């Protein structure tokens, strides 16, 4: 089954994790209106958003999207809404009475909470934000067996999602920040214990600086018909080239504005990583030599992957969103792709 065809999604998906922190509702409405006018019909939120996460703003991204859907009188059948249940975290104690979990009870509560904030009767794509088991993620690379703990069984999670589907609360199921093992288990259980729902997508980071999907995950997804919902195509703005200055970018750029409050970004997209800035510099040079913008190079690279369902884009300013939408129309030549691969061989995955 072709999950992209089932969902009939646009090639770009507007991410909303800035809504409620960097972006006011007026900002969000402006972005959402422009996205819709540009042919984007797919919007991604999460109960945890906005990021950086705070008790005072948690849920605002969903609230803003729901408010826009109502005020703009958008036909619910003409847009697709994706949201996510927060994975285990000992820090976000304000979500569902935390520390959060992805057991049956918590998944049910998370779905009901998102539906209420969104003001919707159903969610098109419901995702588990990250696994309820130990996996290396957000900048970690190597699996450490000693860090493993007793996880919530994946079968229990699928059973909870199955009940939500039967109740009409969700339509499709996906995972996020998952591993090849996780994809295989979700698919194996769904295939062997029908009517458990099958995952149709995996939302993982994928960009010029992070191509880890292209190894074992790509093979799993290809054979099990799971499509990639790629997030962070600009690597938190690094691939725009704006941080290639002595000051390391504008003061209001996200990686500068939230320094010290944004653990994931600082661990994954740290300027201090040995090959990070050299790789970005090399990719920006390719773009300039071929007369395209660094943003077009980065977005074009992601969109050319045949396993892509859609690419999650985000912006804090409307002009940035416009630039990304325009850049998505640029097709990369074989020569450009060859040069990209040469840089990747020199600097493989500097921000995994």
């Amino acid at each position: 089954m072709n999950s992209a065809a089932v969902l009939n999604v646009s090639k770009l998906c507007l991410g909303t994790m800035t809504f409620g922190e960097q972006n006011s509702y007026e900002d969000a409405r402006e972005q959402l209106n422009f996205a819709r006018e540009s042919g984007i019909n797919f919007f991604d939120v999460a109960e945890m958003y906005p990021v950086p996460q705070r008790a005072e703003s948690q849920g605002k991204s969903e609230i803003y999207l729901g408010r826009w859907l109502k005020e703009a009188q958008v036909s619910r059948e003409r847009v697709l809404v994706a949201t996510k249940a927060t994975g285990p975290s000992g820090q976000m104690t304000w979500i569902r009475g935390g520390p959060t979990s992805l057991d049956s009870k918590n998944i049910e509560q998370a779905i009901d909470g998102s539906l209420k904030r969104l003001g919707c009767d159903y969610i098109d794509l419901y995702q588990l934000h990250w696994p309820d088991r130990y996996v290396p993620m957000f900048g970690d690379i190597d699996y450490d067996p000693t860090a493993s703990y007793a996880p919530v069984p994946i079968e229990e999670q699928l059973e909870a999602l199955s009940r939500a589907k039967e109740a009409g609360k969700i339509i499709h199921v996906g995972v996020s920040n998952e591993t090849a093992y996780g994809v295989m288990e979700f698919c194996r259980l769904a295939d062997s214990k029908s009517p458990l729902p099958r995952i149709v997508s995996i939302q993982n980071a994928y960009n010029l600086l992070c191509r880890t999907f292209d190894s074992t995950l790509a093979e799993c997804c290809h054979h099990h018909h799971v499509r990639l919902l790629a997030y962070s195509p600009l690597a938190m703005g690094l691939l725009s080239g704006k941080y290639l200055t002595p000051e390391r970018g504008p003061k209001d750029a996200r990686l500068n504005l939230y320094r010290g409050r944004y653990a994931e970004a600082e661990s994954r997209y740290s300027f201090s990583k040995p090959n990070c800035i050299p790789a970005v510099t090399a990719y920006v040079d390719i773009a300039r030599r071929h007369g395209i913008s660094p943003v077009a190079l980065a977005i074009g690279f992601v969109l050319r992957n045949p396993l892509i369902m859609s690419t999650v884009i985000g912006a804090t300013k409307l002009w940035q969103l416009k630039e990304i939408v325009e850049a998505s129309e640029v097709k990369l030549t074989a020569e450009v792709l060859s040069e990209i691969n040469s840089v990747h061989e020199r600097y493989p995955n500097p921000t995994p």
Side-chain angles (χ1 to χ4, degrees):
M1 181 181 293
N2 185 322
S3 57
V6 169
L7 285 167
N8 194 25
V9 297
S10 50
K11 66 181 180 181
L12 298 180
C13 170
L14 183 61
T16 64
M17 75 175 188
T18 61
F19 293 2
E21 273 285 342
Q22 282 177 279
N23 290 122
S24 66
Y25 175 68
E26 289 69 28
D27 296 331
R29 180 176 57 199
E30 192 175 42
Q31 287 194 32
L32 290 161
N33 284 336
F34 174 78
R36 185 185 176 205
E37 291 163 4
S38 301
I40 295 173
N41 70 347
F42 196 18
F43 304 95
D44 181 70
V45 285
E47 65 167 345
M48 184 189 81
Y49 291 168
V51 178
Q53 56 270 24
R54 297 187 301 131
E56 296 81 3
S57 58
Q58 184 259 321
K60 279 190 175 181
S61 299
E62 289 182 324
I63 291 170
Y64 284 9
L65 178 59
R67 180 179 170 185
W68 173 75
L69 288 170
K70 182 178 180 180
E71 290 183 356
Q73 298 183 326
V74 179
S75 173
R76 184 63 184 85
E77 291 71 29
R78 297 179 69 86
V79 297
L80 293 107
V81 174
T83 193
K84 317 177 197 70
T86 303
S89 172
Q91 299 174 348
M92 289 177 280
T93 56
W94 54 86
I95 298 181
R96 302 194 302 280
T100 52
S101 173
L102 285 177
D103 60 15
S104 178
K105 178 181 178 181
N106 273 275
I107 288 175
E108 180 180 357
Q109 290 179 350
I111 292 172
D112 289 344
S114 288
L115 286 170
K116 182 177 180 180
R117 286 185 292 272
L118 288 163
C120 293
D121 296 324
Y122 64 92
I123 295 161
D124 297 279
L125 175 62
Y126 196 72
Q127 306 154 99
L128 304 183
H129 209 151
W130 58 86
D132 197 325
R133 66 181 193 279
Y134 161 71
V135 295
M137 65 174 73
F138 304 139
D140 291 336
I141 301 174
D142 298 325
Y143 182 83
D144 177 7
T146 66
S148 182
Y149 59 87
V152 173
I154 290 177
E155 185 172 354
E156 178 181 340
Q157 296 173 337
L158 284 173
E159 287 171 348
L161 294 167
S162 179
R163 289 191 292 271
K165 277 178 64 74
E166 291 172 3
K169 295 179 179 181
I170 62 176
I171 308 300
H172 299 283
V173 173
V175 292
S176 181
N177 298 301
E178 255 299 355
T179 65
Y181 167 80
V183 169
M184 294 292 287
E185 274 298 282
F186 273 98
C187 292
R188 182 187 68 81
L189 287 165
D191 291 344
S192 63
K193 302 196 174 186
S194 181
L196 293 182
R198 225 174 179 284
I199 59 172
V200 300
S201 63
I202 175 173
Q203 184 172 162
N204 276 30
Y206 184 64
N207 56 60
L208 288 168
L209 303 179
C210 177
R211 295 172 58 171
T212 53
F213 173 83
D214 287 333
S215 54
T216 55
L217 260 173
E219 182 183 14
C220 290
C221 289
H222 171 66
H223 289 295
H224 287 282
H225 309 290
V226 176
R227 302 295 292 278
L228 174 62
L229 185 51
Y231 76 78
S232 202
L234 296 180
M236 293 295 292
L238 281 174
L239 290 166
S240 71
K242 66 183 177 182
Y243 293 103
L244 297 181
T245 64
E247 301 80 17
R248 288 288 182 254
K251 290 183 179 179
D252 64 348
R254 193 168 181 82
L255 293 180
N256 292 327
L257 188 64
Y258 292 113
R259 192 170 301 282
R261 286 183 52 202
Y262 204 171
E264 175 196 340
E266 290 176 6
S267 62
R268 182 184 292 181
Y269 301 108
S270 172
F271 302 141
S272 64
K273 287 195 170 182
N275 292 330
C276 180
I277 295 302
V280 172
T281 301
Y283 289 125
V284 170
D285 285 345
I286 291 175
R288 289 172 177 163
R289 283 200 309 273
H290 289 273
I292 60 177
S293 72
V295 171
L297 185 83
I299 295 294
F301 167 77
V302 174
L303 288 175
R304 110 284 176 222
N305 191 310
L307 294 174
I308 290 288
M309 169 193 284
S310 187
T311 300
V312 183
I313 59 173
T316 54
K317 299 177 178 65
L318 185 60
W319 69 263
Q320 294 172 325
L321 181 58
K322 290 180 178 179
E323 181 183 18
I324 294 171
V325 171
E326 291 173 4
S328 71
E329 298 302 318
V330 175
K331 306 299 181 185
L332 302 186
T333 65
E335 181 182 3
V336 170
L337 290 172
S338 177
E339 291 184 27
I340 285 173
N341 286 331
S342 293
V343 173
H344 178 62
E345 289 176 8
R346 271 188 289 155
Y347 308 114
N349 300 319
T351 62

